[in-house]
């Protein structure tokens, strides 16, 4: 069994994301004064007084579609799915605004679900608002618990009430080595469609409007007894085109998702193919020392745009030289082409990312490389290499013990890295070569 799931629901702008961050203990959900900021479900493993659970933030439930956002039908569906998934629900209302029609709509949705819930009145931070709490009894959900997520008032009491409805037996928790996979790329290249096809669930909202996904969402999927956690991310625009506020924080979390991942899937669009921003996003994976897979989505349009397989491979190899040996898959999330090849590619790449090499094989390869290309002299001071040791995985990391390491030219370091790759593979995975000077 998985961790118990607690969902936070309510109409827009009642402080759900602020409460989510307060409970989780970090700024994970986007917080903004703009109603409708959170569109997708956002979830995180959380802990409250030694009790572990999965916390889900949701988009706001609104009875009438917003004039500013065109996706409220899908947003409502996502919220309903979150409620269906949850073991308990926190229904959040705003004591400053009082009862609204949207609150009645959310209350009715919860009652129909049959899920246990707790009613919490947020922004109750003065005696006047505390005295008005009785008005929420009209929702038919019992007495509202007064809280202020921003000031951390009443949150502990609310959580005590929530856990009355939650079975969190630690013996039932999921364990195992989960492969963390970040799906990254520019906006509107089909990341969410690939994410949904992989996890067999309409988890992320798929829309032709660029930038639909603002938060990072996740799903655990098991393939051949290997659990994988997929992180679907908001699209990264060029720096100059990234707006301040919501989109800025989306970009920060996307980079954070790459940093937390083991494997980063970079999704390209067959219609536009490799752009400067694609290489920029790939650079984030390189700088974070993550393994990589390149996916060219919308390949069903290749004939229309006149791109051949050979041209695609040549372009990718030329533009993504820093992702050495990364698997390249041609897919169509619309037709399903190539989607079933992605899990195998992830497992192969992860195996390279976590590969350990026997010590004697490492030494043998190093000395063979030194024999084939002796170390160049640097005046009277000569670089001498005496040993190599693998000290870590994720990525594979090697320490080479040498004398006068500061005189070792970068081209020779690259030569040694290439010899390691020739001998042991590491396709799609970075390797780190560190030099320890004995002088």
């Amino acid at each position: 069994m998985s961790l118990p799931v607690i969902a936070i629901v309510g109409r827009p702008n009642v402080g759900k994301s602020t409460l989510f961050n307060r409970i989780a203990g970090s700024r994970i959900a986007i917080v903004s004064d703009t109603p409708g900021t959170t569109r997708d479900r956002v979830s995180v493993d959380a802990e409250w007084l030694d009790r572990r659970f999965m916390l889900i933030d949701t988009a706001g439930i609104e009875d009438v579609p917003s004039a500013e956002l065109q996706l409220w039908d899908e947003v409502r569906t996502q919220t309903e799915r979150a409620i269906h998934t949850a073991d308990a629900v926190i229904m959040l209302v705003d004591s400053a605004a009082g009862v609204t029609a949207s609150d009645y709509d959310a209350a009715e949705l919860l009652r129909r679900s049959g899920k246990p819930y707790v009613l919490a009145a947020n922004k109750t931070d003065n005696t006047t608002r505390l005295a008005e709490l009785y008005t929420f009894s009209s929702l038919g959900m019992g007495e509202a618990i007064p809280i202020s997520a921003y000031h951390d008032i009443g949150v502990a009491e609310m959580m005590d009430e929530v856990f009355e409805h939650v079975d969190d037996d630690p013996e039932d928790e999921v364990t195992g080595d989960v492969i963390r996979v970040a799906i990254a790329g520019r906006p509107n290249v089909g990341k969410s469609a690939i994410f949904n096809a992989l996890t067999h669930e309409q988890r992320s909202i798929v829309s032709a409007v660029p930038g639909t996904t603002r938060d990072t969402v996740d799903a655990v999927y098991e393939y051949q007894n290997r659990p994988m956690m997929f992180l679907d991310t908001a699209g990264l625009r060029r720096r100059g085109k990234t707006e301040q506020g919501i989109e800025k924080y989306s970009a920060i979390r996307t980079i954070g998702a790459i940093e937390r991942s083991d494997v980063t899937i970079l999704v390209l669009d067959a219609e536009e193919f490799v752009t400067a921003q694609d290489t920029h996003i790939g650079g984030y994976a390189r700088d974070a020392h993550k393994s990589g897979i390149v996916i060219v989505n919308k390949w069903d349009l290749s004939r229309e745009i006149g791109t051949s397989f050979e041209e695609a491979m040549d372009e990718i190899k030329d533009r993504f030289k820093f992702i050495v040996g990364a698997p390249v898959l041609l897919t169509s999330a619309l037709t399903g082409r190539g989607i079933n090849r992605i899990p195998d590619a992830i497992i192969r790449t992860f195996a390279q990312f976590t590969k350990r090499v026997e010590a004697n094989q490492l030494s043998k390869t190093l000395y063979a490389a030194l024999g084939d290309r002796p170390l160049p002299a640097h005046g009277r001071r000569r670089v001498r290499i005496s040993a190599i040791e693998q000290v870590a995985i994720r990525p594979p990391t090697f320490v080479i013990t040498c004398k006068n390491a500061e005189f070792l030219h970068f081209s020779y370091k690259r030569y040694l890295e290439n010899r390691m790759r020739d001998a042991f593979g590491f396709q799609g995975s970075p390797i780190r070569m560190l030099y320890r000077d004995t002088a």
Side-chain angles (χ1 to χ4, degrees):
M1 293 178 62
S2 61
L3 294 177
V5 177
I6 299 172
I8 304 173
V9 303
R11 64 181 178 81
N13 214 34
V14 295
K16 297 186 299 300
S17 293
T18 302
L19 179 60
F20 178 89
N21 293 335
R22 174 66 65 186
I23 296 171
S26 60
R27 291 181 63 86
I28 297 170
I30 300 172
V31 178
S32 169
D33 291 331
T34 305
T37 296
T38 303
R39 297 187 189 173
D40 285 321
R41 281 178 285 164
V42 180
S43 57
V44 65
D45 284 337
E47 185 173 322
W48 187 273
L49 300 180
D50 298 325
R51 304 180 78 165
R52 295 187 59 233
F53 56 97
M54 178 74 76
L55 184 65
I56 299 180
D57 188 19
T58 65
I61 299 171
E62 193 158 27
D63 57 337
V64 178
S66 170
E68 298 179 0
L69 295 175
Q70 304 173 8
L71 306 175
W72 279 108
D73 287 342
E74 292 187 60
V75 166
R76 184 185 180 93
T77 299
Q78 295 299 311
T79 301
E80 289 174 344
R81 286 173 183 251
I83 292 173
H84 177 75
T85 303
D87 297 292
V89 179
I90 299 172
M91 164 72 177
L92 199 63
V93 292
D94 184 346
S95 64
V99 184
T100 69
S102 294
D103 292 328
Y104 285 111
D105 189 39
E108 179 60 25
L109 189 65
L110 261 179
R111 278 194 292 269
R112 289 202 308 267
S113 74
K115 297 286 183 174
Y117 57 80
V118 169
L119 178 64
N122 194 27
K123 307 177 187 178
T124 309
D125 46 17
N126 59 56
T127 54
T128 301
R129 292 176 182 175
L130 186 63
E132 296 294 322
L133 283 185
Y134 72 92
T135 59
F136 292 104
S137 61
S138 62
L139 295 174
M141 303 181 69
E143 186 176 349
I145 300 174
I147 73 166
S148 171
Y150 184 80
H151 295 101
D152 195 17
I153 298 172
V155 177
E157 291 77 5
M158 179 199 71
M159 292 303 295
D160 288 341
E161 184 73 19
V162 170
F163 280 117
E164 292 293 324
H165 305 290
V166 170
D167 178 13
D168 58 346
D169 186 349
E171 295 182 358
D172 289 335
E173 294 177 8
V174 172
T175 59
D177 190 10
V178 179
I179 304 174
R180 298 182 300 274
V181 184
I183 305 178
R186 293 180 290 109
N188 211 35
V189 295
K191 299 183 302 298
S192 294
I194 290 174
F195 176 77
N196 292 334
L198 280 169
T199 58
H200 307 293
E201 182 187 4
Q202 282 296 116
R203 184 65 177 270
S204 285
I205 297 172
V206 180
S207 169
V209 180
T212 301
T213 302
R214 293 179 177 176
D215 282 305
T216 300
V217 296
D218 64 284
V220 176
Y221 167 74
E222 190 166 294
Y223 177 78
Q224 296 182 352
N225 298 319
R226 294 300 304 272
M228 305 176 187
M229 174 174 283
F230 288 96
L231 303 172
D232 182 26
T233 62
L236 284 175
R237 301 177 188 271
R238 282 184 292 147
R239 292 178 184 175
K241 290 191 175 182
T242 301
E243 299 173 3
Q244 295 295 316
I246 295 171
E247 194 169 330
K248 173 184 176 182
Y249 291 112
S250 295
I252 290 172
R253 268 186 306 282
T254 296
I255 297 169
I258 291 173
E259 291 176 343
R260 293 193 305 272
S261 72
D262 299 306
V263 181
T264 294
I265 295 178
L266 177 58
V267 182
L268 310 180
D269 187 333
E271 292 183 282
E272 298 181 66
F273 217 60
V274 184
T275 68
Q277 181 61 357
D278 292 322
T279 59
H280 184 59
I281 297 169
Y284 283 126
R286 174 202 58 202
D287 294 342
H289 302 291
K290 303 302 178 181
S291 59
I293 296 172
V294 178
I295 289 180
V296 183
N297 193 35
K298 306 180 186 178
W299 190 248
D300 52 309
L301 303 176
S302 60
R303 289 186 180 181
E304 297 179 21
I305 59 181
T307 302
S308 67
F309 173 81
E310 292 76 14
E311 290 172 336
M313 294 301 103
D314 289 344
E315 180 73 5
I316 290 170
K317 290 178 181 178
D318 181 60
R319 299 291 294 275
F320 292 104
K321 293 178 180 179
F322 49 83
I323 308 178
V324 180
V328 179
L329 304 179
L330 309 179
T331 70
S332 170
L334 183 64
T335 66
R337 171 179 173 170
I339 298 297
N340 60 350
R341 297 173 56 201
I342 297 176
D344 286 324
I346 291 170
I347 291 175
R348 291 196 308 271
T349 304
F350 181 73
Q352 301 296 310
F353 191 57
T354 56
K355 178 182 289 187
R356 286 194 180 274
V357 182
E358 293 183 5
N360 63 334
Q361 293 297 318
L362 271 179
S363 298
K364 181 179 178 180
T365 301
L366 175 65
Y367 295 140
L370 295 175
D372 293 342
R373 185 175 170 181
L375 286 160
H378 188 87
R380 294 183 178 182
R381 307 186 70 175
R382 189 179 185 90
V383 179
R384 298 185 184 276
I385 293 178
S386 57
I388 185 172
E389 175 189 9
Q390 184 173 1
V391 296
I393 58 174
R394 300 188 182 195
T397 303
F398 305 92
V399 172
I400 294 177
T401 303
C402 58
K403 185 177 181 180
N404 297 322
E406 69 270 23
F407 297 111
L408 188 62
H409 196 267
F410 77 89
S411 62
Y412 200 89
K413 293 180 180 180
R414 186 171 55 193
Y415 161 72
L416 291 179
E417 178 179 336
N418 289 337
R419 289 297 293 260
M420 290 294 125
R421 289 188 178 278
D422 291 342
F424 307 114
F426 303 116
Q427 293 90 351
S429 172
I431 61 175
R432 301 183 70 187
M433 307 282 285
L434 309 178
Y435 293 84
R436 181 168 57 203
D437 201 327
T438 59

